[in-house]
Amino acid sequence: MTGEPDEADQHFPDEATPREVPEQAIPTSEFGLHDRTWSEDQWLELLQTIVESGVGSWKDITALVLGHLNPSQVGTSLASSEGFKRRYGKGNTMKIVMGWVYQQAGRCADCGSRLELQADHIQGRESFPDPLDADFIENMTLRCRRCNVIRRPSHELGGLTNLTAEAALMWILLVIRPRIRVDFIRMCRLYGMTMSDIRMQEAWAMAHWLARAEPPAYGIENDEASSYDLLL
């Protein structure tokens, strides 16, 4: 085993063990750890499996996509910027910003996605002596949240996958299917995640919830004598 599991790593009495849960529907080996080479058919297979396993419904997924298509606050985030107000004047800023918003193609400048679009600087604020000087309409573009975040110096491993960190946490849990929290965190680190452990511990709650579903959709290992090792 990868280490002695503490109480949080073990399932509660009403939770299923791995032996009580059907074999996973998606062979991990067909996907690999990262998603850059996945085909459209593989993405579809993953989505269908999520629905068929009862983790989500088509209604849930459709409603989520519709919500993320809404470019919420793309204009107001710029119009409220001190740099934009200083350059264009308080009364003119929103009109200029919204004119720019309507003229965009409505896709991420880097990956082409229409989901979770945000206004982002073409030339970053760090390139200007006064960071507020970066706030002018010709210096703005649309990027999805993922592509926006991975441009930050603190995300040097960003861009290796199409999944955001929050999505990758669920990918590892639902497809790699670690049996204990220790291995879940270890796989997240191997994947390249750099956030604090508490984010992964919170995501591990999904394993407990699914282990108590009826029928159970997840199994949590609690046998200290087991020779189970996720990497093997």
Side-chain angles (χ1 to χ4, degrees), residues 6-76:
D6 59 26
E7 185 176 352
D9 294 325
Q10 300 182 46
H11 69 76
F12 295 102
D14 60 339
E15 294 178 339
T17 68
R19 290 161 292 282
E20 297 168 329
V21 179
E23 288 288 328
Q24 64 189 91
I26 302 179
T28 306
S29 60
E30 293 183 7
F31 283 79
L33 185 59
H34 296 106
D35 62 52
R36 289 187 70 87
T37 61
W38 291 1
S39 67
E40 285 293 301
D41 287 342
Q42 287 175 301
W43 284 105
L44 177 60
E45 183 182 0
L46 176 58
L47 184 58
Q48 289 174 328
T49 302
I50 290 173
V51 173
E52 291 167 1
S53 66
V55 175
S57 68
W58 293 117
K59 179 187 73 174
D60 294 336
I61 294 166
T62 303
L64 188 63
V65 170
L66 289 173
H68 286 307
L69 280 170
N70 176 18
S72 176
Q73 299 185 346
V74 168
T76 54

Side-chain angles (χ1 to χ4, degrees), residues 152-224:
R152 300 172 187 170
S154 59
H155 289 67
E156 60 183 29
L157 296 177
L160 297 179
T161 74
N162 290 301
L163 297 174
T164 61
E166 63 183 0
L169 286 166
M170 292 297 99
W171 148 251
I172 291 171
L173 190 144
L174 295 174
V175 178
I176 308 297
R177 300 180 74 86
R179 300 178 183 179
I180 60 174
R181 189 186 64 183
V182 171
D183 270 339
F184 179 55
I185 293 174
R186 181 166 66 146
M187 290 305 302
C188 290
R189 295 299 180 202
L190 289 173
Y191 187 85
M193 297 185 194
T194 57
M195 78 276 279
S196 64
D197 281 9
I198 189 62
R199 291 278 304 279
M200 303 168 197
Q201 293 175 32
E202 291 171 337
W204 183 245
M206 180 61 73
H208 287 273
W209 299 340
L210 295 178
R212 290 199 300 273
E214 190 58 49
Y218 208 91
I220 299 175
E221 184 69 62
N222 72 337
D223 181 6
E224 296 186 18

